Amino acid sequence: MSDRHLTTVAGVEVDTRHFIGGRRVASAGTFPDHSPIDGALLGDIARGGAAEAEAAVAAAKAAFPAWAATSRAERARILHAVADGVEKRLEDLAQVETHDNGALLRSHRRGVMPRVAHNFRFFADWLLSLDHEDFETRGHTNHVSWDPAGPCVLITPWNAPLMLATWKVAPALAAGDTVVLKPAEWSPLTASLLADIAAEAGLPDGVLNVVQGYGAEIGDALTSHPDVRRISFTGSVPTARRIAASAAANLTPLSLELGGKSPLLVFADADLDLAVDLAVEQYDNAGQVCLAATRFLVEASVAEEFTRRFTERAARLVQGDPRDEATDIGPNIHPRQLEKIDGFVQRAVEAGARAVIGGHRGDGQCYAPTLLTDVAQGSEIVQEEVFGPVLTLQTFADEAEAVALANDTRFGLAATVATGSRERAERVTAQLVAGTVWVNCFFVRDLQAPFGGARHSGVGREGGNWSFDFYCDVKNTVTAPKGWDRKGSVEHG
């Protein structure tokens, strides 16, 4: 292996080539991958295009019949072996991902990478229990089964690269599908390590392929390929539109988890300390979380006290190097993202918004945690996803106004409600347009629950049976109660 295809990140060697059909494959061109921590070049990554897309889909197609025919028990065993490999390399994965996307090292060690292993274990175990009770129709027996669909293209984002990739990879592999994974070009390194881990775990060649590059070059070639049977994408609405148009010619089924502009509704009867805790949590991962409740909607009678407590708590947050255990907020992923965040804030201030805290860049690629008030419901800062540590605060007079404000965007990914009344929680949550609603909590995510968004926040649901419904062709077989002759053929008449 040529050293020029290896890069070392935090003492961990990472292959910068594609992984196709069980082999490492170089490309004629590369693209640079820089760390958001200090701008250092982490590596020159193989830059794939149509040729690499064709090779990866061909490898997935060739591997599909054997993998689809592999018993559930054997598929589950291999997925558990992948999870074992993740756990053995947990520190390597945590270090590499922190350098690659700037998220907190302590979070990667304690939560994110253990969750990566759990993703594989959960879907391996769910596969073994996947069943639907037979039912009768006028004496005929209905039997539901899940048939593997074929090669899948999975396109994943940069904000939680390996966790969000394995939310897709694990159920697709469990379902008996083969996979072409394209990670985001701003954070590709842990996907390469995953390919190594999967191969070492015994996953057959071609079952998992990893290709790197830009969406316009390799992404379009993947999503328009006629041999692809499923496409799952997490990312922005404009990219989703392009993917949907690309897939339309082949009627390829899509699962799209897109942006959010989620509300946090704080009612006067809420535990305000709990509400503030939930509010400060929205700065997690430097605000680069699609589910984040970036719009605070606070009952007017407690808005002043809520704001006072929030600013006191936010002032204690430590922003800086994500490798430091004391750091609460790290850098944003890329200079372009930093420019985008600052542009949103400066336009909002010019339009009359007031920065209660923040409103400016920090050191390096950090953006200061920001809370904006005096914002109009129809303004850009309230309606569009910023994807940075920027929150807004508006007030409401009653439940009806709270719900109206909460639902008044084109998104519908999530919502969070803080209230001391069970009855109010039931009334309000029933009216909110969202794929997930949290009451007096945030980011409690169980893989057996459906996950996805409404409106422009997405299409489809994944998790538990919903994942297998998407990654499989669900079949119903109806059998007559009698009519078999002694030779085993069906009698007619």
Side-chain angles (χ1 to χ4, degrees):
M1 181 187 299
S2 172
D3 287 345
R4 69 188 178 89
H5 296 308
L6 289 176
T7 189
T8 301
V9 178
V12 181
E13 282 193 344
V14 184
D15 201 308
T16 59
R17 295 173 293 178
H18 314 287
F19 187 79
I20 299 174
R23 297 185 305 108
R24 289 291 177 176
V25 177
S27 289
T30 62
F31 64 90
D33 180 27
H34 293 274
S35 175
I37 298 174
D38 54 11
L41 178 66
L42 298 177
D44 291 310
I45 313 300
R47 180 175 174 173
E52 289 82 0
E54 182 63 39
V57 173
K61 182 179 180 181
F64 173 68
W67 182 244
T70 300
S71 70
R72 287 187 177 189
E74 178 62 6
R75 293 204 301 265
R77 184 194 69 78
I78 293 174
L79 292 185
H80 274 291
V82 174
D84 291 341
V86 169
E87 289 171 348
K88 287 176 185 175
R89 300 201 66 183
L90 189 146
E91 180 64 17
D92 288 351
L93 292 166
Q95 289 282 353
V96 170
E97 190 138 298
T98 290
H99 282 77
D100 205 14
N101 89 324
L104 301 183
L105 180 58
R106 73 181 192 215
S107 296
H108 282 139
R109 284 172 170 161
R110 300 170 193 171
V112 176
M113 296 309 163
R115 184 56 182 261
V116 168
H118 174 67
N119 288 343
F120 285 102
R121 297 200 192 284
F122 173 88
F123 285 106
D125 293 341
W126 195 272
L127 169 66
L128 297 179
S129 63
L130 184 65
D131 193 23
H132 190 295
E133 185 177 348
D134 289 352
F135 56 97
E136 299 294 320
T137 303
R138 298 191 300 277
H140 296 64
T141 300
N142 293 263
H143 176 73
V144 177
S145 58
W146 286 263
D147 294 349
C152 300
V153 165
L154 311 179
I155 302 175
T156 54
W158 46 257
N159 58 318
L162 194 58
M163 185 174 72
L164 294 179
T166 55
W167 273 7
K168 302 175 187 295
V169 170
L173 296 181
D177 295 339
T178 52
V179 166
V180 178
L181 170 64
K182 195 206 89 64
E185 57 268 24
W186 286 353
S187 57
L189 297 181
T190 47
S192 180
L193 292 177
L194 177 65
D196 294 334
I197 292 169
E200 291 166 8
L203 194 69
D205 293 349
V207 174
L208 173 63
N209 307 275
V210 179
V211 292
Q212 299 138 167
Y214 297 116
E217 296 174 357
I218 194 168
D220 289 348
L222 290 171
T223 56
S224 63
H225 201 291
D227 291 333
V228 170
R229 295 291 177 259
R230 296 290 187 274
I231 299 170
S232 182
F233 168 73
T234 298
S236 71
V237 172
T239 302
R241 288 195 181 104
R242 190 165 67 244
I243 289 172
S246 182
N250 301 310
L251 296 179
T252 308
L254 295 167
S255 177
L256 303 173
E257 195 266 281
L258 309 177
K261 195 67 180 175
S262 302
L264 165 60
L265 290 78
V266 179
F267 289 92
D269 60 6
D271 177 334
L272 276 193
D273 286 333
L274 170 63
V276 167
D277 286 343
L278 296 174
V280 172
E281 196 173 347
Q282 307 313 313
Y283 288 132
D284 183 48
N285 202 22
Q288 298 168 148
V289 179
C290 58
L291 293 161
T294 57
R295 295 184 295 133
F296 298 167
L297 305 176
V298 184
E299 193 160 354
S301 61
V302 295
E304 184 176 348
E305 179 63 14
F306 172 87
T307 304
R308 183 186 68 78
R309 296 190 198 186
F310 174 83
T311 54
E312 289 178 355
R313 282 276 286 105
R316 298 200 295 269
L317 294 173
V318 177
Q319 188 168 35
D321 191 326
R323 296 167 295 188
D324 189 330
E325 281 282 317
T327 298
D328 299 305
I329 304 176
N332 291 97
I333 182 78
H334 193 277
R336 276 208 327 254
Q337 186 65 16
L338 195 66
E339 288 285 344
K340 176 185 172 186
I341 294 165
D342 193 49
F344 270 110
V345 172
Q346 300 314 317
R347 289 191 298 274
V349 171
E350 290 169 7
R354 179 173 66 91
V356 178
I357 59 172
H360 56 83
R361 300 181 191 219
D363 295 331
Q365 256 173 237
C366 292
Y367 201 86
T370 297
L371 176 65
L372 301 175
T373 60
D374 300 332
V375 292
Q377 178 61 24
S379 64
E380 178 192 54
I381 197 67
V382 170
Q383 293 294 324
E384 298 299 327
E385 186 177 45
V386 177
F387 223 60
V390 178
L391 312 171
T392 62
L393 188 149
Q394 300 164 270
T395 61
F396 62 84
D398 53 29
E399 275 184 31
E401 186 179 14
V403 170
L405 290 171
N407 288 339
D408 187 23
T409 75
R410 62 193 174 104
F411 297 103
L413 188 57
T416 303
V417 178
T419 178
S421 166
R422 183 182 297 274
E423 293 76 17
R424 171 174 282 124
E426 292 174 353
R427 287 194 304 270
V428 170
T429 59
Q431 299 175 73
L432 293 175
V433 179
T436 300
V437 181
W438 288 287
V439 179
N440 295 330
C441 60
F442 177 67
F443 212 43
V444 178
R445 168 87 172 98
D446 194 309
L447 285 175
Q448 66 184 312
F451 181 78
R455 297 176 175 167
H456 284 198
S457 286
V459 175
R461 295 291 183 272
E462 295 186 42
N465 269 26
W466 290 274
S467 285
F468 288 94
D469 289 346
F470 174 69
Y471 288 110
C472 292
D473 292 321
V474 183
K475 179 191 294 177
N476 185 43
T477 301
V478 185
T479 304
K482 58 183 180 178
W484 304 99
D485 67 13
R486 293 177 183 176
K487 295 179 182 179
S489 61
V490 178
E491 293 179 358
H492 299 281

